Amino acid sequence: MSKSQQLTQLSKFLSEGMQAYAMKALQTIQSYKQTIKSWLNGHTVQSFVSLFLVGAFLSIAVASCSGSSSASKNDVKLKLVSFSVTKAAHDQIIPKFVEKWKQEHNQNVTFEQSYGGSGAQAAAVIAGSQEADIVHLALPLDVSKIQQAGLIKSGWETEAPRNGIVSKSVAAIVTREGNPKGINTWADLAKDGVKVIAANPKTSGIAIWEFLAFWGSVSLTGGDEATALDYVTKVYKNTPILTKDAREASNLFFQQNQGDVLINYENEVILAGKNGTKLPYVVPQVNISIDNPVAVVDKNVDKHGTREVAQAFVDFLYSTEAQREFAKLQYRPVNPTVTQEVASQYQPIKTLFTSQDLGGWDIIQKKFFGDGAIFDKVKAASKA
């Protein structure tokens, strides 16, 4: 086979760039033909050229494959496990992140999403039935439980801004039209004849916030613990059904028309009004800061090979762009710029306390929600 025929055959397998490289190599060899001939010590230039071209083809092909691999990365799938009322926010935020990541990294990201009661979601992650890469839950206690199970590294709160808190709200009391039972404060929930719709602290994040709001409204305003216990017991006597999460409580109140009063997130109540369902409600002036954390689930992202993208999504949730989406859905943002932009949209709170004012989550869990702790005693007493 002639040199020309060899080149023609090889050209079928080479891109234009490869062809140019091969031709240039051949020309260089030809220009130094006499030197090469002497060095070959009897071998033909044609056989050397053939060998060189085969080597050049292989090296270029390997380099090309390597370059192609880095240029078009494999798609990534992330599993987001969150609490029930965040879906509307993530439906707006996720497409923005996906587009941004595609532009910056030429990689497609898809999300598998799961929404439900925060406590139940945390339990599913711990059990392995939900292999979350990222959790966005209703309260830090649920993320702490996942950490204690060995799936999240200790110190997760320091891995993101704002101690891992990505969205906030406060508690609101929703009543029937005209507020026939005259419910305006936390104390009114303990009145005889008032039927309260609330969720179960064993499965729902909002239910824990509700309980802490009830307790703190007494214990942090001058009442002792005996008075707080008596008050909370009366409230739960007025709560015939404990739903599994906030969404189910809302459905029971609005769609099935049960109960005189519903405790809900402020953001849910305001959003319902903007969507055409005007709800009579009051935001108590003694209130609890409802802090919703986000975290990367270390064990799962390492297993799935998704750490880089998962961490980038968590970081994106704190961006001005994402926080504005939370604010549109009436969450109280944590980004200072956005907080300033929307401050006038929210009712000011006279006394806003936090979980730390009640001792922090380790104490809260043991004191109120562990087996046989205060909530279990209140529930048993309310049924008596």
Side-chain angles (χ1 to χ4, degrees):
M1 182 182 291
S2 70
K3 192 186 317 178
S4 175
Q5 288 172 325
Q6 289 173 339
L7 285 172
T8 301
Q9 187 172 13
L10 283 169
S11 295
K12 295 179 182 179
F13 299 95
L14 300 174
S15 65
E16 290 183 6
M18 290 177 175
Q19 291 179 42
Y21 183 95
M23 290 298 295
K24 186 174 181 180
L26 179 58
Q27 290 169 1
T28 302
I29 290 168
Q30 287 175 328
S31 69
Y32 291 99
K33 184 174 179 181
Q34 294 304 318
T35 304
I36 295 169
K37 188 172 182 178
S38 173
W39 180 81
L40 283 171
N41 194 25
H43 295 291
T44 66
V45 173
Q46 182 175 340
S47 63
F48 175 78
V49 169
S50 299
L51 183 61
F52 177 86
L53 288 174
V54 170
F57 168 74
L58 291 174
S59 63
I60 295 169
V62 169
S64 174
C65 290
S66 173
S68 170
S69 157
S70 62
S72 76
K73 300 177 182 176
N74 293 330
D75 294 351
V76 174
K77 184 176 183 179
L78 292 179
K79 177 69 177 284
L80 170 66
V81 172
S82 192
F83 62 110
S84 58
V85 298
T86 61
K87 185 178 186 303
H90 286 301
D91 282 348
Q92 299 302 314
I93 293 169
I94 285 173
K96 293 179 184 294
F97 172 77
V98 168
E99 181 182 4
K100 182 175 185 287
W101 187 264
K102 176 69 173 177
Q103 288 175 348
E104 295 178 355
H105 300 272
N106 190 30
Q107 187 176 37
N108 296 317
V109 181
T110 57
F111 280 76
E112 180 184 349
Q113 301 167 64
S114 173
Y115 299 94
S118 187
Q121 293 286 71
V125 172
I126 292 167
S129 58
Q130 296 272 25
E131 283 199 0
D133 296 294
I134 302 153
V135 289
H136 178 193
L137 297 175
L139 66 166
L141 178 61
D142 288 332
V143 180
S144 295
K145 289 177 181 177
I146 299 172
Q147 177 208 316
Q148 290 161 13
L151 278 72
I152 294 176
K153 294 176 183 176
S154 60
W156 61 270
E157 309 96 318
T158 63
E159 295 298 316
R162 312 294 166 190
N163 293 320
I165 304 304
V166 76
S167 55
K168 288 176 175 277
S169 192
V170 294
I173 299 173
V174 184
T175 68
R176 294 298 177 190
E177 191 63 42
N179 194 6
K181 296 293 179 75
I183 300 164
N184 297 299
T185 67
W186 294 123
D188 294 333
L189 301 180
K191 289 179 179 178
D192 290 341
V194 172
K195 187 177 179 183
V196 179
I197 301 298
N200 189 338
K202 298 290 186 177
T203 58
S204 167
I206 193 174
I208 289 179
W209 291 116
E210 288 169 356
F211 185 95
L212 297 179
F214 299 157
W215 188 273
S217 71
V218 176
S219 67
L220 297 176
T221 58
D224 59 20
E225 293 211 341
T227 305
L229 180 61
D230 179 66
Y231 162 72
V232 170
T233 302
K234 287 178 180 177
V235 172
Y236 281 95
K237 279 185 177 179
N238 286 345
T239 310
I241 299 173
L242 292 174
T243 65
K244 67 179 180 181
D245 58 34
R247 183 67 67 209
E248 187 177 304
S250 293
N251 290 342
L252 202 63
F253 186 77
F254 296 114
Q255 296 180 14
Q256 299 183 36
N257 204 35
Q258 293 193 34
D260 301 305
V261 61
L262 170 73
I263 314 303
N264 208 335
Y265 297 112
E266 175 194 49
N267 56 285
E268 283 282 284
V269 178
I270 298 175
L271 185 62
K274 288 194 170 185
N275 291 336
T277 306
K278 292 290 183 183
L279 308 175
Y281 73 97
V282 61
V283 176
Q285 288 301 289
V286 176
N287 217 310
I288 188 165
S289 179
I290 296 175
D291 301 335
N292 314 136
V294 66
V296 169
V297 183
D298 295 292
K299 186 174 181 179
N300 291 344
V301 295
D302 289 342
K303 176 182 177 181
H304 303 156
T306 54
R307 177 178 289 278
E308 181 186 7
V309 186
Q311 186 60 58
F313 178 69
V314 168
D315 293 341
F316 182 73
L317 292 177
Y318 291 92
S319 69
T320 301
E321 187 177 13
Q323 286 285 305
R324 281 179 179 144
E325 293 301 326
F326 280 119
K328 286 177 187 176
L329 293 165
Q330 307 308 312
Y331 290 91
R332 296 189 177 215
V334 299
N335 180 298
T337 299
V338 183
T339 298
Q340 217 168 19
E341 290 173 356
V342 301
S344 62
Q345 297 179 17
Y346 304 98
Q347 293 187 29
I349 306 296
K350 183 178 179 181
T351 303
L352 185 66
F353 60 92
T354 71
S355 57
Q356 291 302 312
D357 294 317
L358 293 169
W361 288 108
D362 287 344
I363 290 175
I364 287 171
Q365 170 62 18
K366 292 174 185 175
K367 180 176 179 178
F368 297 112
F369 304 113
D371 290 340
I374 288 176
F375 176 73
D376 283 348
K377 292 176 180 175
V378 166
K379 190 177 176 183
S382 68
K383 290 182 177 179

